[in-house]
Amino acid sequence: MSARRKCHLRAPGAGDLAEAELVDELSKDDLIRAHLDWAPVRLMALKRLHEAKLPWPEHWHWDWSKKADMLDLLAYRCMGIEQDGRMQGLMMLSTIAAKGRLKAQEGKAVLYIEFLESAPWNLRALVEAPKFLGVGIRLLEAAIALSEEEGFGGRIGLHSLPQSEDFYRKYMTDLGPDSSQSQGLRYFEMSTEQMHNFLEGKKP
Amino acid sequence: MATELTKRTMTLNLTDAEMRVLELLSSQKDLSKTAVIRQALRLYQLLDNRLSKGEKLFFEDTAKGEKAELMLMI
Amino acid sequence: MKTVGMSDEVFRKRAAEEDGCMVSAIGLQPLFTKREEARHEAGEVSREPVRLAFCTLISYRRRALRFSMETLAQKANVELDELLRIEEDMSYVPEARTVYQLANQLKLPIPQLLVLSGNATSANSELTEAAVRFAARSRAVEKLNREQSDALNEFVKVLVEQKVQTKKK
């Protein structure tokens, strides 16, 4: 049974902070339901973008229902932020330790984020007025907590799509394009020190 | 109020050699012994999953350009 | 799970920093997925627009020829519920025989339709690009409006003009 922890999201249209829940172990059904909830909204947003001759987000084709089978394995865990019965953000993590690449933590265990996405109605690129802000922040916070729990010292790592590089660069170290794969996506890693800065509101 | 995930405890009997390996890995990886065991279990299940689908597991020596299949009976 | 968290004040600041950013991350460690699936997720190979183009093409062409679903199903000797699935379900791959029959009734070129339906592969990138453009321009509504009509006519023109050497899957 998954654990739920109360947290807040920013709700620009409805005052200040809205109460939400971090669900730290989603089921396959949860992912399928989230996909069915997100897909029509994403599709309408894509249509609007097309009509306005604006580019589509790089992850427009993601289908979380197809990732559900990953949860058959202990190696994967999915977390989500739920508000009013709807998933506001999803994050798939690998629980098999990745090797740290930052010099200060080379070879040490790092929690690797496989996929991370905020619901389409929370992204300013897709909707005029995002419903909630801070979903990505909350998910990174949750990843750090799990990394601590696993004994990885709060260290996390991920590969970013180009559209998200600026966001991760604010809090993590950009280690450049990963030569071990063909897409040339940049790898980002957060050290223990950066983790403290991130959580304490300091500049990383 | 947060609800907690259930965890269960078991006793693990290991030989001296196995315990030494566990302690060494724990020290090298800067992980607790429990964390090392959990990592091993996750990796074992993952390998079993892919091997049972008919995939093969290889080691590659990039320096020599050699590949060798890992013949696992799991 | 261990409670590691930021204060509400820090969160407000961080949430403001997130505003306007596209939050997404993609895993490339091939522990679970094969490389081809990982490349697909990264957008390198995406068949979904081609499948979307196939569904929409069948639907639009049927309506442009003023066929009801029942009429087309009867003429093509295809079950009505299968025709519905073909028009609505991007993941559904009809049998080649069904595609052949629909192509005949809808006066569309068979090899190209086999590729779009997922029954055959082709190295023709122009066909794929045309399919993506068509998928982007069109969505199903009750009546084809002028734009959708133009999109359909343009795509059909490309289909007819493209020479396609197909490989059976």
Side-chain angles (χ1 to χ4, degrees), chain C residues 133-146:
Chain C
R133 280 198 301 276
F134 175 63
R137 284 177 70 187
S138 54
R139 278 316 287 148
V141 291
E142 279 306 308
K143 243 170 130 173
L144 288 185
N145 61 32
R146 180 63 186 269

Side-chain angles (χ1 to χ4, degrees), chain A residues 34-45:
Chain A
H35 168 69
L36 292 174
D37 194 16
W38 290 12
V41 178
R42 203 193 271 142
L43 208 53
M44 290 308 297

Side-chain angles (χ1 to χ4, degrees), chain A residues 16 50 61-62 67 76 112 114 116 124 134 136-137 141 149 159 163-164 168 171 183 197-198 201-202, chain C residues 1 4-6 12-14 17-19 22-28 31-32 40-41 44 136-137:
Chain A
D16 182 25
H50 174 70
H61 56 289
W62 283 8
K67 302 182 201 322
Y76 297 99
Y112 185 76
E114 293 278 351
L116 192 156
R124 206 173 277 286
I137 296 293
E141 186 187 42
E149 187 182 304
H159 285 86
Q163 67 189 8
S164 309
Y168 296 116
Y171 316 113
Q183 297 90 324
N197 291 339
F198 172 71
K202 294 177 187 163
Chain C
M1 193 170 69
V4 164
M6 53 182 70
R12 281 189 189 90
K13 176 181 164 182
R14 292 289 184 232
E17 288 166 1
E18 186 183 312
D19 191 8
M22 186 72 80
V23 180
S24 61
I26 178 162
L28 293 169
L31 291 183
F32 178 81
H40 168 79
E41 287 295 293
E44 215 176 278
R137 284 177 70 187

